[in-house]
Amino acid sequence: MTNRFLRGLLRVMTPAAAAAAGVLVITVLALFVYPYIGIADNGDFFRVLYSNGLYINDPTYDSQYLGFFVKTYGIFQYFNENQATIFSTQSSFVKAAIGLNKLFHPGTTTFDIRYQAALYLGLYTAAIYLLVEALTWKLSKLRGYVIAGIVVFVFGDTGYTAYFNSLYGESVMLIMTMFMVASGLLLYRRRYNDYVMLGIFVVSTMILTASKQQNAPVGILTAIFGVFFIYIRKSRSYRAITAGLLAALIGVGVGTYVLIPKEFVNINKFHAMTRGVLMGSTDPEKTLESFGIDKQYAILNRSEYYEPYKSFDVDSAQFEEQFFSKYGFVSILRYYAAHPGQAGQMLNIAARDGFSIRPMAMGNYEQSVGKPFGAHTVFFSGYSLLKQALAPKTFGFILLWTLLIIGLYVPSFVHAIRSQQWRKATKLPIVILLISMGLSGIFVSIIGAGDADLAKHEFLFTLTFDLVSLLTVRDLIAKQLWSTESESKQVGAAM
């Protein structure tokens, strides 16, 4: 009876619906059924809490940093004098979750973060549906369900979804990247209305770009590679709208960078020097002098901005004049270019952390569960654990992977260009865009903040790595890797 029911269900349920339902059920079990899974605060939550009308109402909160997930916070009942510390689209989602919390609990003074998780999960389920629809469109059901199963295994992993029960911006990055890739592939396959898919593509990219300061390059990169979308329709109005939207993406990218507060610029600059340039130098004093900085500051080597006891007052005007004013993003980039050995060393450090989906420094359980400090869940974590254990931890592997992926898609791109199938030519730009986004996450993290909190800073890389690898595996399964899909429709239909 059960087998008959499952077979009947599979006959009427598309692979996209099955994948969305699978991720939904798994994530509900992980985040909404006791013991609840989330991610502990590493000190970053304050950037989101107070400016959005929330505050810490647990007197033992300080002792739970890094080790335990906290699911409830207080809601300000009177005037909130706290201003936003950073500009981020994440705030809109936090405020919407607070509104949802108040809707179901009128007059409440407590915010349950699971309302935010519910909001995120609804969006994520829709994004998964669109992604799998793009991957399985016009494929046989057998192949479609295989691909759907892979998507559930990879993106239903709690390494990804545990972020929903936290105040980290990675939740917004995950969801919006999914929408961006799904809508881009749906444009490529001419599935659904082009204008609607273009709107989802641009809006999700804007939200992604403005969700975190380090994502500022995303808008610019997307505008560059998105130029190919201009030519998929001959209508002048479509082309004008697309060009205007891509120009707007550049504006969002530039605006996100310009709006980075001075305080956070200095925090990142401090780590870029102490946890990057100096940390890899064989002669820190000489290195500082090459930047025009007094060699006495070499004592700061490997130190962190938030250390309670430092040798210098990093917030003083004197430190600003003698240290921060002496270097910037460009000068650090120039330094690494002149010291390729040290740059390679930093890139390998980045590669070591670039395949960790979950931040290993932060625990997943509430303190009341009784798990050890910093304990991690293993519930539906097969993919993240395998990836962490098996992925080569060198930047050389990342380069080889990049060259291999691009090389695999070049023949179909060249064929599409020669035959003037502009829509079919958009797949390679989408792939290169994702790879560029991931690599930009690595480079911006190293040059902008050294090795400080690399596992979280490289979230965009590990996500785009998984998406590009998934797309490649999908094309292998569909036998569409080296040929245009128009040539292989009969093959797919015959299966």
Side-chain angles (χ1 to χ4, degrees):
M1 184 70 177
T2 303
N3 290 336
R4 193 186 314 162
F5 172 75
L6 289 175
R7 284 196 298 270
L9 186 63
L10 290 177
R11 274 197 297 270
V12 299
M13 182 176 281
T14 65
V23 170
L24 176 63
V25 170
I26 291 164
T27 308
V28 166
L29 292 174
L31 307 189
F32 300 96
V33 176
Y34 187 85
Y36 312 112
I37 293 169
I39 301 182
D41 184 3
N42 70 346
D44 283 350
F45 285 12
F46 83 93
R47 303 179 185 183
V48 179
L49 273 172
Y50 299 100
S51 59
N52 287 298
L54 300 176
Y55 66 93
I56 295 168
N57 60 353
D58 186 341
T60 65
Y61 192 88
D62 288 352
S63 66
Q64 298 181 64
Y65 276 114
L66 298 176
F68 298 109
F69 151 58
V70 176
K71 75 173 187 297
T72 56
Y73 297 87
I75 301 176
F76 280 115
Q77 300 299 300
Y78 304 103
F79 175 72
N80 180 14
E81 63 182 8
N82 297 285
Q83 300 297 315
T85 54
I86 55 172
F87 172 78
S88 172
T89 49
Q90 181 190 358
S91 293
S92 298
F93 294 95
V94 174
K95 288 175 179 175
I98 295 172
L100 196 62
N101 188 108
K102 290 179 177 179
L103 179 65
F104 284 94
H105 303 281
T108 185
T109 60
T110 303
F111 172 65
D112 189 326
I113 204 169
R114 288 174 296 174
Y115 280 101
Q116 175 191 264
L119 176 65
Y120 282 148
L121 180 55
L123 292 169
Y124 191 55
T125 302
I128 291 290
Y129 178 88
L130 291 177
L131 177 66
V132 178
E133 183 69 10
L135 295 174
T136 60
W137 176 239
K138 293 187 177 179
L139 286 185
S140 67
K141 274 204 170 182
L142 175 60
R143 288 177 174 174
Y145 282 121
V146 170
I147 293 166
I150 295 172
V151 170
V152 173
F153 178 66
V154 175
F155 295 109
D157 194 289
T158 52
Y160 279 122
T161 57
Y163 276 107
F164 297 167
N165 264 341
S166 79
L167 290 171
Y168 295 115
E170 278 71 15
S171 297
V172 178
M173 292 170 62
L174 170 62
I175 295 166
M176 292 306 137
T177 303
M178 284 288 187
F179 273 121
M180 172 187 167
V181 175
S183 56
L185 290 175
L186 289 166
L187 278 168
Y188 160 73
R189 294 209 158 85
R190 203 167 193 168
R191 175 72 169 130
Y192 302 128
N193 181 277
D194 281 347
Y195 288 95
V196 174
M197 290 302 104
L198 178 66
I200 293 175
F201 180 82
V202 171
V203 171
S204 59
T205 304
M206 286 180 171
I207 296 173
L208 169 64
T209 302
S211 64
K212 251 187 171 183
Q213 307 99 304
Q214 73 181 69
N215 293 341
V218 171
I220 298 171
L221 289 170
T222 305
I224 294 171
F225 291 103
V227 166
F228 283 85
F229 286 129
I230 295 175
Y231 301 100
I232 66 175
R233 293 176 71 104
K234 295 181 179 180
S235 165
R236 286 186 178 181
S237 60
Y238 170 83
R239 291 185 173 185
I241 290 171
T242 305
L245 290 173
L246 294 177
L249 284 177
I250 295 177
V252 172
V254 173
T256 300
Y257 179 78
V258 170
L259 290 173
I260 300 176
K262 180 70 172 178
E263 176 189 355
F264 294 108
V265 170
N266 283 350
I267 292 171
N268 291 332
K269 284 179 69 174
F270 184 86
H271 290 146
M273 182 61 71
T274 64
R275 302 292 310 178
V277 172
L278 295 182
M279 188 175 71
S281 173
T282 55
D283 189 347
E285 294 182 351
K286 185 177 179 181
T287 297
L288 282 174
E289 289 179 338
S290 71
F291 283 90
I293 301 173
D294 193 305
K295 63 182 181 181
Q296 67 172 324
Y297 290 109
I299 196 172
L300 293 172
N301 186 16
R302 296 180 180 270
S303 63
E304 296 192 13
Y305 189 90
Y306 290 113
E307 289 178 3
Y309 305 107
K310 289 186 285 290
S311 305
F312 301 93
D313 181 3
V314 297
D315 295 318
S316 67
Q318 181 182 16
F319 195 83
E320 172 72 33
E321 180 184 351
Q322 297 182 358
F323 193 82
F324 287 136
S325 67
K326 301 294 184 179
Y327 66 98
F329 190 91
V330 174
S331 58
I332 290 179
L333 180 61
R334 192 163 51 237
Y335 174 84
Y336 281 126
H339 299 81
Q342 192 174 336
Q345 184 182 35
M346 289 299 297
L347 288 171
N348 280 328
I349 292 174
R352 181 193 66 200
D353 293 322
F355 296 96
S356 298
I357 300 173
R358 66 177 68 204
M360 301 307 292
M362 286 85 90
N364 293 133
Y365 293 99
E366 291 180 278
Q367 190 172 28
S368 59
V369 174
K371 297 280 187 179
F373 186 91
H376 296 118
T377 182
V378 293
F379 176 77
F380 210 83
S381 300
Y383 178 71
S384 57
L385 293 174
L386 280 173
K387 186 177 181 182
Q388 172 70 18
L390 301 180
K393 307 297 194 300
T394 66
F395 192 73
F397 168 75
I398 294 175
L399 288 180
L400 287 174
W401 171 81
T402 299
L403 294 173
L404 174 63
I405 295 294
I406 293 175
L408 288 172
Y409 282 104
V410 163
S412 60
F413 174 76
V414 172
H415 181 276
I417 292 294
R418 286 177 175 173
S419 59
Q420 295 187 345
Q421 298 179 54
W422 302 112
R423 192 180 291 267
K424 296 300 178 186
T426 57
K427 183 185 281 187
L428 179 62
I430 290 173
V431 169
I432 297 178
L433 167 61
L434 289 172
I435 293 174
S436 301
M437 286 167 53
L439 292 177
S440 75
I442 291 178
F443 295 139
V444 169
S445 297
I446 291 174
I447 298 171
D451 77 337
D453 207 10
L454 260 182
K456 265 181 80 286
H457 286 167
E458 292 183 299
F459 179 81
L460 192 58
F461 168 77
T462 197
L463 175 57
T464 54
F465 176 89
D466 287 346
L467 284 166
V468 171
S469 299
L470 170 67
L471 180 58
T472 307
V473 169
R474 178 265 175 210
D475 286 342
L476 282 170
I477 293 173
K479 299 182 180 180
Q480 294 172 347
L481 192 56
W482 295 283
S483 61
T484 60
E485 294 188 20
S486 57
E487 292 174 337
S488 52
K489 279 180 186 176
Q490 292 181 344
V491 176
M495 292 299 293

